[in-house]
Amino acid sequence: LPHYASVIAEKARQNNWRYGVHIFPHDMKVHDFSTGQTRLEAARKLGLTPARVSPKLGLDEGIDAVRRRFSKYWFHQDNCKKLLDALVNYRKKWDETNHCYQARPVHDWTSHPADMVRYEAVSTRDLPTREEAVAKMVQSGFDPLNEDVEARSYFDTLAVGG
């Protein structure tokens, strides 16, 4: 976990990014017996805040959530090329014997990127729309170039469910 926290922080520094909320898979609530804390607590101590944990839902329900939201996504053509390639190639395997698709998607290089999008789709259903978020930020005096506590606390409100 420290390695990934470091990579995320470095990418933010290099690209001048400011993360809205970190979304983790459901197993982040597991307690580490050596430390007595959850992985989520450890992530937050490493600076991965605000953070929320994706609900544990069935694969089909998650895929359906992505399908319902997909038209609302915006992808950068160059920066998201690997993700888009993975999503285009995410598939179920054809069963020649029974002449139907198998129940579960193929587990290969496309699985982790597809899971990431699935976690986002099921984890952000209760977040405000882009328009609502912008309106609230403007109303609160949010300044993206200023790290003041009041503006930062708006993003912390998005981290419910963790």
Side-chain angles (χ1 to χ4, degrees), residues 150-161:
E150 185 177 329
R152 184 79 182 130
S153 67
Y154 169 71
F155 287 105
D156 293 338
T157 65
L158 302 179
V160 297

Side-chain angles (χ1 to χ4, degrees), residues 64-82:
D64 188 53
V66 172
R67 286 182 180 137
R68 284 192 312 272
R69 292 178 57 104
F70 202 79
S71 65
K72 295 180 174 139
Y73 292 138
W74 290 57
F75 297 100
H76 189 282
Q77 175 176 310
D78 299 323
N79 295 346
C80 298
K81 183 168 180 11
K82 289 180 184 178

Side-chain angles (χ1 to χ4, degrees), residues 128-142 154:
T129 64
R130 179 177 298 202
E131 292 79 16
E132 292 167 340
V134 168
K136 182 156 181 152
M137 286 187 281
V138 167
Q139 186 179 35
S140 72
F142 175 73
Y154 169 71

Side-chain angles (χ1 to χ4, degrees), residues 4 42 59 77 82 84 115 118 123 146 149-150 157 162:
Y4 294 110
L59 182 64
Q77 175 176 310
K82 289 180 184 178
L84 293 170
D115 286 347
R118 184 168 51 88
S123 299
N146 184 359
V149 176
E150 185 177 329
T157 65

Side-chain angles (χ1 to χ4, degrees), residues 26-46:
H26 65 88
D27 61 358
M28 286 294 282
K29 289 186 177 181
V30 171
H31 277 83
D32 184 329
F33 292 112
S34 64
T35 64
Q37 64 183 5
T38 66
R39 294 175 184 163
L40 181 62
E41 291 166 338
R44 286 179 171 153
K45 286 181 181 175
L46 290 168

